[in-house]
Amino acid sequence: MSLASADTLPGEFAFTDADFEALARLARSEYGLSLASSKKPLVYSRLARRLRARGLATFRDYMSLLDRAEEAAERLELVSALTTNVTSFFREKHHFETLRSALVPELATQKRIRIWSAGCSSGQEPFSIAMTLLDGLPPGARDMRILATDIDPAILRKARAGRHPAEECATVPDEFRARWLRPVPGEPDLVEMGAELKALVSFAELNLICDWPFAGPFDAIFCRNVAIYFDQETQQRLWSRFADKLRAGGFLFIGHSERLSGTALPEFETAGVTTYRKRATPGPARPT
């Protein structure tokens, strides 16, 4: 019985170090994703499904497929396979408490309100933001929008539909469920976001490391558990770009395992757990 070579994972498809390194280079250059060598078994298990789906025999064939101009959809399947869409309503509750207590009172005096959910996944985050705003703001005419973006078009289709398993809505406060969530006729296990929530949220496909086709400024940006997939250089560039899109006093909410770093640090002051507020005047530069 022969054994696989040291740089090849045993399995249905040969997956050499060279195959992994080629995929890692593509993931970083096109999407900013950082794939450490320790992730080789995980990458294999997730992408083997794509080889089966496309009827391919080797990872080299898969890389050739990804090079084709007409395979943009497969490149997005690659991103979807390498990242994890884990989300829930009112996840990291302290962020929504800060939104309600610190930012909503300011927004009550504004006619124009803009919030960005960057990496919105299947929509629970932007709809949680919408509920928080509608509950906390007094009645009145406002130009209020929530931009919700993600790189994955398949997950965005789910987000736009605004339908979720009823069990996933257990973290929505009872009063909010009664006001804005609706049963889906003929689908007893599904709940739909109400029209008032849907009207506030605009979903769009966006690769965060590419150009951003909007000007801002935003009152708050939520980008949680997205930067963990990027290397430090890409993360720091992202924080700086967010700073450029926030108004003075605007909030940046990031994931529980993420930390602000790099040249953006003087632009912000800490405003809570993984919560930062843009200074009116940048502070002194700090070591990174």
Side-chain angles (χ1 to χ4, degrees):
M1 180 178 68
S2 63
L3 296 176
S5 64
D7 72 341
T8 304
L9 282 178
E12 181 180 355
F13 306 100
F15 189 39
T16 67
D17 285 349
D19 294 331
F20 174 80
E21 288 162 7
L23 279 165
R25 284 194 299 272
L26 174 65
R28 189 184 190 285
S29 64
E30 295 294 321
Y31 308 107
L33 303 181
S34 178
L35 298 177
S37 58
S38 59
K39 294 183 179 179
K40 184 179 175 183
L42 176 65
V43 170
Y44 173 88
S45 66
R46 292 189 174 183
L47 292 185
R49 305 168 197 166
R50 297 308 309 158
L51 270 68
R52 295 186 202 105
R54 299 304 303 269
L56 300 175
T58 69
F59 273 87
R60 185 170 298 177
D61 292 340
Y62 186 62
M63 289 299 299
S64 297
L65 184 76
L66 293 171
D67 281 339
R68 298 177 190 170
E70 68 272 19
E71 289 293 344
E74 185 59 43
R75 289 192 288 276
L76 291 175
E77 290 285 358
L78 168 70
V79 176
S80 184
L82 295 179
T83 56
T84 304
N85 287 301
V86 176
T87 186
S88 61
F89 288 100
F90 295 93
R91 187 183 187 191
E92 298 185 44
K93 186 178 178 182
H94 57 279
H95 285 161
F96 296 95
E97 292 170 349
T98 298
L99 177 63
R100 173 64 183 265
S101 64
L103 185 56
V104 164
E106 292 181 12
L107 300 181
T109 66
Q110 297 181 193
K111 291 300 183 182
R112 178 190 182 279
I113 296 170
R114 293 291 186 274
I115 294 182
W116 179 13
S117 169
C120 67
S121 189
S122 47
Q124 288 91 330
E125 178 176 274
F127 286 127
S128 298
I129 295 168
M131 285 183 257
T132 304
L133 295 181
L134 290 175
D135 181 63
L137 291 171
R142 294 182 183 85
D143 176 13
M144 182 163 65
R145 302 297 299 167
I146 299 165
L147 172 64
T149 65
D150 201 278
I151 197 172
D152 187 341
I155 206 71
L156 283 172
R157 285 193 290 271
K158 295 180 182 179
R160 288 191 184 98
R163 293 184 172 188
H164 303 271
E167 62 185 16
E168 289 184 5
C169 299
T171 53
V172 177
D174 292 343
E175 62 194 274
F176 291 2
R177 285 204 299 273
R179 287 171 68 181
W180 293 303
L181 274 58
R182 302 287 178 263
V184 177
E187 299 283 353
D189 295 330
L190 288 180
V191 173
E192 186 166 12
M193 301 298 104
E196 193 174 6
L197 297 179
K198 288 184 176 181
L200 284 184
V201 184
S202 297
F203 292 98
E205 186 178 330
L206 182 70
N207 182 341
L208 281 175
I209 72 165
C210 294
D211 291 338
W212 299 346
F214 43 80
F218 291 94
D219 299 290
I221 297 173
F222 285 71
C223 186
R224 306 184 303 168
N225 307 305
V226 175
I228 55 173
Y229 294 105
F230 300 153
D231 60 28
Q232 187 176 41
E233 178 184 354
T234 305
Q235 287 181 20
Q236 292 179 356
R237 187 163 55 248
L238 184 65
W239 306 142
S240 293
R241 294 179 75 191
F242 283 151
D244 291 342
K245 293 297 182 185
L246 279 168
R247 66 163 172 84
F251 282 82
L252 174 63
F253 300 95
I254 66 177
H256 66 275
S257 61
E258 298 165 339
R259 294 296 180 270
L260 213 60
S261 62
T263 57
L265 272 173
E267 300 273 358
F268 290 96
E269 60 186 359
T270 300
V273 178
T274 56
T275 303
Y276 300 88
R277 192 163 201 180
K278 185 177 177 180
R279 301 174 187 267
T281 303
R286 288 178 283 175
T288 60

